[in-house]
Amino acid sequence: METNLAERIDAVLPQTQCTRCGYDGCRPYADAVAARAADINRCPPGGATTIAALAAITGRAAKPIAAECGTFPGYRTARIDESYCIGCTLCIDACPVDAILGGPKQMHVVLPHLCSGCELCIAPCPVDCIVMYPADREWSVADAVAARTRHRARIERLDRNERIADRGATLPTLDAAATRAATVAAAMQRARARRAGAPPRAR
């Protein structure tokens, strides 16, 4: 694999770190493309523009997005429904760009100007309190550069076994210990009821 080629490929990827390509982030995908272990059509967020750029860099033919990588509904950002959040920190651990603030037993909040719209925070949430909304702006080159920097910082933090949720937070605390168990149980019950019969909320 040519390191310089991988860097050139990574430079044109959108850096949403969504893993839809099948790799754990944009740089691993760039490495795989450079090594010819992956095709250039596995980045739904990048769409035809990114495929064209990758074709120009690698000399390969452009082609439609691979069906198994899914579709991209447009740039959206995550929001946390505070009435359901139980402060479990699982979404914080899942966020590849550290765009979620909060701590154990504390309210969590997504910083929309940092959120890449990857949706990786949705699945771990035990109470289904995260919803995706259309962003009020386009994902820009500056956003991609900043997201790459935050993603690399996150990797370094994980290598140090440091959890961002343990750094302390300034967000409001949730219910006191005396009532927390009941609050969690009620939130879990509401989530089970929604998943069992209620129409799914917008994603």
Side-chain angles (χ1 to χ4, degrees), residues 5-45:
L5 177 59
E7 291 175 351
R8 290 167 58 204
I9 292 170
D10 186 56
V12 301
L13 294 177
Q15 304 301 320
T16 58
Q17 316 300 341
C18 67
T19 74
R20 287 183 177 90
C21 60
Y23 292 85
D24 191 24
C26 295
R27 181 54 194 251
Y29 175 51
D31 290 339
V33 172
R36 303 190 73 84
D39 213 334
I40 64 173
N41 65 332
R42 303 187 62 82
C43 180

Side-chain angles (χ1 to χ4, degrees), residues 162-181:
E162 179 186 353
R163 296 177 69 246
I164 195 168
D166 294 334
R167 291 180 175 178
T170 59
L171 299 175
T173 58
L174 294 172
D175 296 337
T179 59
R180 179 167 176 73

Side-chain angles (χ1 to χ4, degrees), residues 111-182:
L111 301 178
H113 64 290
L114 299 184
C115 178
S116 69
C118 69
E119 302 187 11
L120 295 178
C121 57
I122 293 177
C125 178
V127 293
D128 193 28
C129 72
I130 302 176
V131 180
M132 302 301 298
Y133 288 89
D136 58 4
R137 61 187 179 84
E138 296 295 325
W139 185 253
S140 68
V141 173
D143 289 321
V145 171
R148 181 191 294 111
T149 299
R150 293 195 305 275
H151 184 59
R152 290 178 178 174
R154 177 180 184 270
I155 292 173
E156 294 174 358
R157 173 173 55 75
L158 293 177
D159 287 343
R160 298 192 300 269
N161 293 318
E162 179 186 353
R163 296 177 69 246
I164 195 168
D166 294 334
R167 291 180 175 178
T170 59
L171 299 175
T173 58
L174 294 172
D175 296 337
T179 59
R180 179 167 176 73

Side-chain angles (χ1 to χ4, degrees), residues 17-18 56-57 66 69 75 105 109 140 150 163 201:
Q17 316 300 341
C18 67
I57 292 171
C69 296
Y75 177 37
K105 302 182 181 180
V109 64
S140 68
R150 293 195 305 275
R163 296 177 69 246
R201 292 188 293 174

Side-chain angles (χ1 to χ4, degrees), residues 172-196:
T173 58
L174 294 172
D175 296 337
T179 59
R180 179 167 176 73
T183 301
V184 171
M188 293 292 286
Q189 185 176 6
R190 290 194 298 269
R192 284 193 293 269
R194 289 200 305 277
R195 289 170 174 167

